[in-house]
Amino acid sequence: MPRISKALLAQAPPNAPAANDARIARQRAVTDVRRELVLVAARSAFLELGLEGASLREIAKRAGYTPGAIYSYFSSKEEVYGALLGESLERLNAFVAAAGPAPGRRPASGHGKAARLRLAQRTLRAKATAFFEFYRESPRDLDLGFYLFHGMQPRGLTPVLNEQLNARLRDALAPTQQALAVLGLGTDEAQAEVTALFAHTVGLLLLSHTGRIRMFRQQSQTLFDRYLDALIARACAPAPRTSLPRRAVR
C-alpha cells in the first residue's frame, strides 16, 4: 500500500460537516442543561412565592444567572410557568398512557360486544384512576396547574399557550371519554361525565392535600373509587325506553 505523505495529509480538507455537527450538539446540550436549571429554580420560586411574588430576578438568582441571561431562554416568567406546566402535563399524559386495563375475571370471548364492553369498563377504570393517582402522588403538580388563577379569571398566559396547555390536559382525559363512548354514551353525554369526573377528582385531591378531608372522616381514594363505580354503572345502564303517546280513543 503506498504511503501517504505528510504534505498530502496537511492539504486534505478537514471533515467540516462532522465537526460542525458535533459543535452544534455540544451547544444544544449546554443550552438544555442551563434551561433545566432555570426551570428547577423557577419551580422552587413559584412554590414558595407564588406567581405574583416570584420574579425573573429571583428565578435568575436561584439558578445562579443574571436576569439578562434568563431572557436567552424565556421572554417572561409566564413563559417559564408555561414551560413548567407543559412538562408536568407531558408526564401526566405518559402516566395515563402507561396505565393498562386490569385482566378480566372472565376470558374475553372473541371480539363480541360483551367482550368489548368489559374491556371498555376496565380501560375506563385504569385511565381515570391513573389520572387521579398522578396528582395524588404529585401534589405540587396539582398546585402548579392552579397558579395562574386569580379569582375566576385565568391570567398570565397568552391565548395560544393557554389553549395548548388545555389541549394536553384534555388529552389525558381523552382515553376515559373514549371508553365511555364505547360503553354507549353519546359525545355530549360522555364529555359531560368526564367534566364531572374531573371536577370530582380535583375537589377530592384539594381536600386531601390540604387536610380538609379529615373533618369528614373520609379517605379520598375510597370516595374516588365509589364515584368511579357509580360512573361505570351509569354508563352501562340500558337507555330508558321512550313510550309512544297513546292515541286518543274516539
Side-chain angles (χ1 to χ4, degrees), residues 139-179:
R140 295 304 189 187
D141 285 290
L142 183 67
D143 294 343
L144 189 67
F146 286 88
Y147 272 139
L148 289 191
F149 287 86
H150 183 73
M152 297 298 291
Q153 297 296 325
R155 47 187 303 216
L157 295 179
T158 65
V160 173
L161 181 56
N162 187 56
E163 177 53 32
Q164 289 175 350
L165 295 172
N166 285 338
R168 290 304 285 150
L169 181 59
R170 288 194 297 268
D171 288 343
L173 293 166
T176 300
Q177 185 167 337
Q178 292 165 3

Side-chain angles (χ1 to χ4, degrees), residues 53-109:
S55 64
L56 279 181
R57 183 177 297 277
E58 176 64 23
I59 294 172
K61 177 182 176 182
R62 296 184 182 216
Y65 297 128
T66 63
I70 299 291
Y71 287 103
S72 301
Y73 309 102
F74 302 99
S75 62
S76 65
K77 68 177 180 180
E78 287 78 17
E79 188 175 318
V80 178
Y81 169 86
L84 280 174
L85 183 53
E87 290 185 354
S88 172
L89 292 172
E90 291 303 319
R91 287 187 281 107
L92 167 65
N93 275 272
F95 192 79
V96 172
R105 295 181 179 178
R106 293 180 296 172
S109 56

Side-chain angles (χ1 to χ4, degrees), residues 1-248:
M1 178 180 294
R3 299 179 62 182
I4 302 176
S5 66
K6 293 183 180 180
L8 289 175
L9 288 174
Q11 294 175 4
N15 192 352
N20 188 53
D21 290 345
R23 183 173 65 255
I24 293 175
R26 287 195 299 271
Q27 291 174 347
R28 185 179 295 114
V30 171
T31 298
D32 290 344
V33 170
R34 291 176 176 173
R35 185 177 183 276
E36 184 60 28
L37 288 175
V38 173
L39 291 177
V40 170
R43 178 182 286 270
S44 69
F46 289 148
L47 290 176
E48 293 179 24
L49 306 173
L51 184 67
E52 296 290 342
S55 64
L56 279 181
R57 183 177 297 277
E58 176 64 23
I59 294 172
K61 177 182 176 182
R62 296 184 182 216
Y65 297 128
T66 63
I70 299 291
Y71 287 103
S72 301
Y73 309 102
F74 302 99
S75 62
S76 65
K77 68 177 180 180
E78 287 78 17
E79 188 175 318
V80 178
Y81 169 86
L84 280 174
L85 183 53
E87 290 185 354
S88 172
L89 292 172
E90 291 303 319
R91 287 187 281 107
L92 167 65
N93 275 272
F95 192 79
V96 172
R105 295 181 179 178
R106 293 180 296 172
S109 56
H111 298 281
K113 181 179 179 180
R116 289 198 303 271
L117 292 178
R118 289 196 297 271
L119 177 60
Q121 291 178 36
R122 298 198 305 273
T123 299
L124 190 158
R125 187 178 298 279
K127 300 301 184 181
T129 300
F131 189 96
F132 177 83
E133 288 180 348
F134 177 85
Y135 285 117
R136 185 192 63 190
E137 300 300 325
S138 306
R140 295 304 189 187
D141 285 290
L142 183 67
D143 294 343
L144 189 67
F146 286 88
Y147 272 139
L148 289 191
F149 287 86
H150 183 73
M152 297 298 291
Q153 297 296 325
R155 47 187 303 216
L157 295 179
T158 65
V160 173
L161 181 56
N162 187 56
E163 177 53 32
Q164 289 175 350
L165 295 172
N166 285 338
R168 290 304 285 150
L169 181 59
R170 288 194 297 268
D171 288 343
L173 293 166
T176 300
Q177 185 167 337
Q178 292 165 3
L180 287 169
V182 174
L183 292 175
L185 270 61
T187 301
D188 292 342
E189 191 176 1
Q191 187 171 7
E193 287 288 5
V194 167
T195 303
L197 174 65
F198 174 72
H200 193 81
T201 298
V202 172
L204 283 176
L205 290 169
L206 288 176
L207 285 174
S208 179
H209 293 331
T210 58
R212 291 288 185 177
I213 200 168
R214 289 195 293 269
M215 66 183 290
F216 299 104
R217 296 182 176 87
Q218 298 291 328
Q219 297 291 328
S220 61
Q221 182 68 59
T222 302
L223 294 177
F224 176 80
D225 291 339
R226 288 181 60 181
Y227 185 88
L228 197 56
D229 289 341
L231 171 59
I232 293 175
R234 288 196 303 274
C236 295
R241 292 184 177 181
T242 57
S243 58
L244 296 176
R246 293 184 178 181
R247 300 178 65 180

